[in-house]
Amino acid sequence: TLLFREVWIRKTSQLESLKRALLPKTRHAKLLAHTIRVLWIRIDGLERVGTLDPDRLPECMKLCPRLYELRLETFAVKRLSEGSLRSLEMTPPIYALQLIRPEMPYSERYEYTELHLQLLQVPHWRLQFFTMEGKYDAAWPPRRLLPVKHQFIEVRFRASTGYLIGRLLSWLLYNSTKSLQILSLKDYDKFVSKLSPNLRMFETQYTYGNEMFQLLNLPEVEELMWIAMHPYAYPLPLCIPKQHLLPRVIHLGLNADGWPITRRQLKTPPKDIPTSLKRVTLLQAYYRSTPIRQTAEEAKEVLGEILGPRIEIVVYRNFEDYERQRVVSLIPGRRVLQGSSLVDYAVMNRILRESMTERRHPSKDISGNSPSRERRPVLRWK
């Protein structure tokens, strides 16, 4: 029996083929449909021949009754119709959502989108993991829009959003200040200081040494990425946190930004390094285009002399090379970013079973009455 745990739908022909496999009322078709946990969909708002129309998104999701994660790649999609929004209310209650919007050549038709705002307001979804990548300029929420109800555990926000990123973050994470454990940002914003006491992992593209240590209170953080170094303004000693600032840190990420690690740093080595620190990952540069003035072997050797033998040191040329080592897929041969959302298949099954039990046997209040299901209206878009 052939079963699929992860499925890609990019064209209408692929959707029709999947329907022929999943819709027949046979034991095999039912088993196949109930096996799918991760659904990749590419929707296109340009109405090109063969591509998938955005309004068919609910149809795709309904084929997978035990769906755990939706990964949605969009091209020129500004919004879903009201009919599609109503249909989304009858889709499986997913736990993880990834939105990918590839950067395109400048054009007004690609610039603005409300899709992410709409999807985050679907009332019955139980989102705990959210990733947003690509270009979302001018995509901040209007002030009349209610904050997101979800209490996220992990948010990876690798999106270009313009200068109002704080407004989008505060709307997105309004109810996640206590639940959020993992936060990855492309651009740092001061709103993060409200979340920092509970974070176990914090990642940002560029943060300079003491600036972050003084700004953020990170008593629980175990992984901190990427601290940018500069040989004059922010040398290595200023980029290694002290014990009292990060008492639980295990993994530290450094970004050399193209500069070499020199033995000159040995004259003023870091002091009071956290005893919990086990591993340091060095990016020689964040971007592939940045010129590198030192070999990986030399950088690792010098860094080892500075930090001492008890700390494991790993060196990558750039962030892209680092991400290649963190990919996993339920389909052999397909490479996707590893996040906490993509958990083991058995863990997905356990979470889905618990949610089904909860829906069948809802908890009762003191009076013995089952609480009515809270319904938040989906915002209707003009």
Side-chain angles (χ1 to χ4, degrees), residues 55-69:
D55 288 331
R56 302 195 74 176
L57 172 62
E59 179 184 358
C60 296
M61 295 184 65
K62 290 176 186 177
L63 294 174
C64 315
R66 303 294 301 279
L67 191 64
Y68 180 89
E69 177 168 356

Side-chain angles (χ1 to χ4, degrees), residues 311-329:
I311 297 175
E312 179 188 5
I313 297 170
V314 184
V315 179
Y316 296 98
R317 288 186 62 83
N318 50 57
F319 183 73
E320 185 177 315
D321 288 352
Y322 168 75
E323 286 284 64
R324 283 201 194 99
Q325 307 301 315
R326 300 174 60 245
V327 296
V328 71
S329 180

Side-chain angles (χ1 to χ4, degrees), residues 263-279:
R263 283 182 168 79
R264 208 180 328 170
Q265 308 279 2
L266 286 168
K267 297 179 181 178
T268 55
K271 297 179 180 179
D272 195 20
I273 297 175
T275 55
S276 59
L277 185 62
K278 304 296 182 186
R279 178 171 179 159

Side-chain angles (χ1 to χ4, degrees), residues 286-324:
Y286 196 89
Y287 297 106
R288 292 180 60 184
S289 57
T290 305
I292 297 173
R293 304 176 177 88
Q294 189 177 37
T295 65
E297 293 76 14
E298 184 181 355
K300 183 176 181 179
E301 180 183 349
V302 176
L303 201 55
E305 292 178 18
I306 296 172
L307 297 178
R310 74 173 180 85
I311 297 175
E312 179 188 5
I313 297 170
V314 184
V315 179
Y316 296 98
R317 288 186 62 83
N318 50 57
F319 183 73
E320 185 177 315
D321 288 352
Y322 168 75
E323 286 284 64
R324 283 201 194 99

